[in-house]
Amino acid sequence: MDKRHDATSFEDDHLTPLDKTEQFYQNLLSHYANGDDKELRAASKLLLVALEKFQCHGGPAWYALMYEYINIAIHEPEKFELILQQNRSSTH
């Protein structure tokens, strides 16, 4: 199998970290198959891991950066989309 099409392979040097995360999200979706709310369930798993990493590595005010991203997503959706696009290897 060509590893560029294998959702479990993260060795492609052309993928950005965001691309690899989105690829992993697709892999999580396949885990839930046709289950109810599979997109939300997969996204919640990524969020749980992200929150844990913010808490472990973000210092005593780890939640400040988290809230900054949340506020941008809520109040400035165009800016949030731009941040996402700038972190992808190609546009989606």
Side-chain angles (χ1 to χ4, degrees), residues 59-89:
W62 63 271
Y63 49 86
L65 181 58
M66 179 198 62
Y67 282 127
E68 183 178 333
Y69 282 121
I70 291 171
N71 283 328
I72 290 170
I74 293 170
H75 301 292
E76 301 177 73
E78 299 85 11
K79 181 177 179 180
F80 187 72
E81 184 60 33
L82 182 61
I83 291 169
L84 291 173
Q85 290 302 324
Q86 290 173 337
N87 283 281
R88 290 187 174 118
S89 60

Side-chain angles (χ1 to χ4, degrees), residues 32-45:
Y32 290 117
N34 293 324
D36 292 339
D37 299 320
K38 69 179 186 176
E39 294 85 1
L40 190 57
R41 292 169 73 188
S44 70
K45 298 305 180 277

Side-chain angles (χ1 to χ4, degrees), residues 22-33:
E22 288 178 335
Q23 197 176 54
F24 183 65
Y25 170 77
Q26 292 302 319
N27 183 263
L28 285 173
L29 287 179
S30 68
H31 170 77
Y32 290 117

Side-chain angles (χ1 to χ4, degrees), residues 3 9 21 23 25 35 40 46 49 57 76:
K3 71 180 177 180
S9 176
T21 303
Q23 197 176 54
Y25 170 77
L40 190 57
L46 292 175
V49 171
H57 304 290
E76 301 177 73

